[in-house]
Amino acid sequence: MADSTILIVDDEAAIRDVVGITLDLAGFDTIKASNAHDAHVSIIDQKPDLVLLDWMLPGGSGIELARRLRRDEITSAIPIIMLTAKASEDNKVQGLNEGVDDYVTKPFSPRELVARIKTVLRRVNGKERDKSLQVFDLKLDPTSHRVTIEDKLVEMGPTEFRLLKFFMLNQEKVFSRDHIQTSVWGANVYLEERTIDVHIRRLRKALSSVKGVSIDYSKLIQTVRSAGYRFSVRPA
Amino acid sequence: MADSTILIVDDEAAIRDVVGITLDLAGFDTIKASNAHDAHVSIIDQKPDLVLLDWMLPGGSGIELARRLRRDEITSAIPIIMLTAKASEDNKVQGLNEGVDDYVTKPFSPRELVARIKTVLRRVNGKERDKSLQVFDLKLDPTSHRVTIEDKLVEMGPTEFRLLKFFMLNQEKVFSRDHIQTSVWGANVYLEERTIDVHIRRLRKALSSVKGVSIDYSKLIQTVRSAGYRFSVRPA
DNA sequence: CTTTCCAGTAACACTATTGTCACAAAGCCG
DNA sequence: CGGCTTTGTGACAATAGTGTTACTGGAAAG
């Protein structure tokens, strides 16, 4: 983790410097780029472990670059954290569809930035253990048994909680209903097949029930026809 | 913790040696005694942080010594772990009433012995944080939201779970119903006063519902007339 | 010993949660 | 488009959990 290389893409030198210093202090290696083209070259060339991408870039926006990276087989697995000037709903929703892994809104505290980078790296590396689970601003705390979105409590039943926990611990993979049943309800439990669907629905409902939130987190639970469901930050 | 001194009281030299070596390796200082009288003198003289006491001692049983230690102001705070040849129900129940802090049944693994000593020391020193809470063989795991007695699942409702968690985090102190209500239900919640009593009853019921267990763990929840309730391993 | 008070207990009504079902909607195939 | 499959959705009944109440039993006070 401490050896991860982060590519910082921002047209403002001041931002590059501040972020660079922050990440240096946190033990990351850093590369910098001031425009989308240079960034793309650096990514292919040096394969950073994560890209910090400014939303607004001259001559090719950040979102364009993100899209390109996702399309390309070689770069599609590299996590991206967007740096946005302000929390705009449209931006967030669109970014979600482009497969961005997280957002950090300027101005941000060094602490938060580092925390989010670590979270994303942990998630991508599949080393999600203990502690509270977090995806964007959706947090699940196994200890206090609470789920929040942007610090607003999300109400759901115990079964939905376990279902969400399972998904957050196993992101990006498709699970059959059988598999979900075994993992969430346990073996030796007979359930009518459609029961899973209903709980999926209830979970989605709970996730989108929070008002005043820019992202619809229920979209993270994707239906894979004839296969099962998947929890993913990437577009379906 | 690593500097704690443990007094080993056993009439068998072989046991004293084995236990002594085990504790040395675990970083504890050890004192040894082969009978109740010597043990008592050593305790007053050297004030060990914990006493490992053999149940059957020639010329004054271990239980007698435990009782004497609890009666005396000076020694009453020193935790005691009993070493018993076999898990006899009567012994355990009686020991519970004498205020023994834990039991280890011979033969025991060094690993288990050290683990139990550390648990008791942690509990007594009030540094019970994180992790799973344990008292004797009663375990509460905040993360998995499970309670077990001797690894057997104890069924109870969510409210009883929180109530038990509260008690296990705050042992040996008497709490008024008001205090319990605020801690477990939260402030700004109106409850009919007797409601607490009913939940206490349900928790006790749950704790004593497990079959094939030598100790009645419901006894740990003590009623303090006109004051409230207390969770304690010491006699009422 | 009697009275008074307090806690134990059982029973009840109310609510939340859960699994199931029936039907509507959407996707997929030729 | 038309038929078939799969999923979304609302409704429902059964169950578990919760708070309240009334009655019982035992301890403390007089």
Side-chain angles (χ1 to χ4, degrees):
Chain A
M1 177 86 84
D3 297 304
S4 296
T5 302
I6 316 286
L7 171 65
I8 305 165
V9 188
D10 199 306
D11 58 313
E12 290 182 60
I15 298 279
R16 289 200 302 275
D17 291 343
V18 170
V19 173
I21 292 171
T22 300
L23 299 190
D24 273 346
L25 290 175
F28 294 105
D29 292 329
T30 57
I31 320 171
K32 293 167 189 172
S34 60
N35 61 66
H37 180 263
D38 287 357
H40 202 180
V41 172
S42 290
I43 290 166
I44 293 174
D45 209 39
Q46 311 199 35
K47 292 199 178 175
D49 298 286
L50 186 147
V51 178
L52 264 182
L53 186 56
D54 186 33
W55 185 261
M56 301 302 285
L57 282 182
S61 70
I63 190 76
E64 279 290 341
L65 177 57
R67 197 174 300 155
R68 228 176 302 151
L69 292 175
R70 283 288 169 266
R71 294 256 172 75
D72 186 346
E73 176 78 30
I74 304 172
T75 58
S76 66
I78 299 176
I80 299 170
I81 294 182
M82 275 289 187
L83 295 176
T84 63
K86 53 182 176 180
S88 153
E89 175 168 348
D90 296 83
N91 286 356
K92 283 201 174 182
V93 173
Q94 190 178 0
L96 181 57
N97 289 330
E98 299 302 329
V100 167
D101 293 84
D102 204 353
Y103 290 86
V104 178
T105 306
K106 300 186 214 174
F108 48 79
S109 74
R111 223 175 145 284
E112 183 193 355
L113 179 62
V114 171
R116 291 202 171 238
I117 289 173
K118 287 185 176 175
T119 298
V120 168
L121 286 176
R122 218 182 305 133
R123 182 167 81 216
V124 170
N125 294 334
K127 289 165 188 166
E128 193 70 41
R129 294 287 171 270
D130 50 65
K131 288 188 169 183
S132 80
L133 308 169
Q134 178 167 2
V135 174
F136 294 85
D137 285 307
L138 169 65
K139 296 178 199 167
L140 181 150
D141 181 354
T143 303
S144 69
H145 232 246
R146 281 162 175 276
V147 176
T148 55
I149 291 179
E150 293 179 9
D151 297 320
K152 288 183 271 286
L153 186 65
V154 183
E155 298 192 47
M156 64 180 72
T159 302
E160 282 67 59
F161 180 87
R162 276 179 284 129
L163 186 56
L164 178 58
K165 183 175 169 186
F166 166 75
F167 275 132
M168 293 182 77
L169 283 169
N170 300 285
Q171 298 177 39
E172 307 299 336
K173 278 192 260 181
V174 180
F175 293 100
S176 68
R177 291 175 174 75
D178 267 352
H179 190 125
I180 293 172
Q181 174 173 336
T182 305
S183 298
V184 177
W185 276 260
N188 317 329
V189 176
Y190 174 77
L191 282 183
E192 219 55 40
E193 194 177 358
R194 302 302 313 285
T195 299
I196 309 276
D197 299 46
V198 176
H199 282 283
I200 289 283
R201 149 127 174 101
R202 286 171 181 161
L203 178 53
R204 281 174 172 157
K205 208 173 193 175
L207 290 177
S208 52
S209 70
V210 182
K211 301 302 175 189
V213 177
S214 48
I215 299 181
D216 181 1
Y217 285 90
S218 68
K219 295 281 172 55
L220 296 177
I221 300 172
Q222 303 167 355
T223 302
V224 182
R225 207 176 164 83
S226 301
Y229 295 95
R230 169 179 51 205
F231 185 97
S232 172
V233 297
R234 305 295 170 80
Chain B
M1 177 87 83
D3 298 304
S4 296
T5 302
I6 316 286
L7 172 64
I8 306 165
V9 187
D10 199 306
D11 58 312
E12 289 181 64
I15 297 279
R16 289 201 301 274
D17 291 343
V18 170
V19 173
I21 291 170
T22 300
L23 299 190
D24 273 346
L25 290 176
F28 294 106
D29 292 330
T30 58
I31 320 170
K32 293 167 187 171
S34 60
N35 61 66
H37 180 264
D38 287 358
H40 202 180
V41 171
S42 290
I43 290 167
I44 293 175
D45 210 39
Q46 310 199 37
K47 293 199 177 176
D49 297 287
L50 185 147
V51 178
L52 265 184
L53 186 54
D54 186 33
W55 185 262
M56 301 300 286
L57 282 180
S61 71
I63 189 75
E64 278 290 344
L65 177 57
R67 195 173 301 154
R68 228 177 302 149
L69 292 176
R70 282 288 169 264
R71 294 256 171 72
D72 187 344
E73 175 79 30
I74 303 172
T75 57
S76 65
I78 299 175
I80 299 171
I81 294 182
M82 275 288 186
L83 295 176
T84 62
K86 52 181 176 180
S88 152
E89 176 167 347
D90 296 81
N91 286 355
K92 283 202 172 180
V93 173
Q94 191 180 357
L96 182 56
N97 289 331
E98 298 302 331
V100 166
D101 292 82
D102 205 351
Y103 291 87
V104 178
T105 307
K106 300 186 213 175
F108 48 78
S109 74
R111 225 176 143 283
E112 183 193 354
L113 178 64
V114 171
R116 290 199 173 243
I117 289 174
K118 286 185 176 176
T119 298
V120 168
L121 286 177
R122 218 181 306 134
R123 183 166 79 218
V124 170
N125 293 333
K127 287 166 189 167
E128 193 71 39
R129 294 289 172 268
D130 51 66
K131 288 187 171 184
S132 81
L133 306 170
Q134 177 167 1
V135 174
F136 295 86
D137 284 306
L138 169 66
K139 295 178 200 167
L140 181 150
D141 181 354
T143 303
S144 70
H145 234 247
R146 279 162 175 276
V147 176
T148 56
I149 290 178
E150 292 179 10
D151 296 319
K152 287 183 272 286
L153 187 64
V154 184
E155 298 192 48
M156 64 180 72
T159 302
E160 281 67 61
F161 179 88
R162 276 179 285 129
L163 186 55
L164 178 58
K165 183 175 168 188
F166 167 75
F167 275 134
M168 293 182 78
L169 283 170
N170 300 287
Q171 298 177 39
E172 308 299 336
K173 278 192 256 181
V174 180
F175 293 99
S176 69
R177 290 175 175 74
D178 266 353
H179 191 126
I180 292 172
Q181 173 173 337
T182 305
S183 298
V184 177
W185 276 259
N188 316 330
V189 176
Y190 174 77
L191 283 183
E192 218 56 37
E193 194 175 356
R194 302 303 311 286
T195 299
I196 308 277
D197 299 47
V198 176
H199 282 283
I200 289 283
R201 148 125 173 103
R202 286 170 180 161
L203 178 52
R204 281 174 172 156
K205 209 173 193 176
L207 291 177
S208 51
S209 70
V210 182
K211 300 302 176 189
V213 177
S214 48
I215 298 182
D216 181 1
Y217 284 91
S218 69
K219 295 280 173 57
L220 296 177
I221 300 173
Q222 303 168 355
T223 303
V224 182
R225 207 179 163 81
S226 301
Y229 296 94
R230 169 179 50 205
F231 186 95
S232 172
V233 296
R234 307 293 170 79

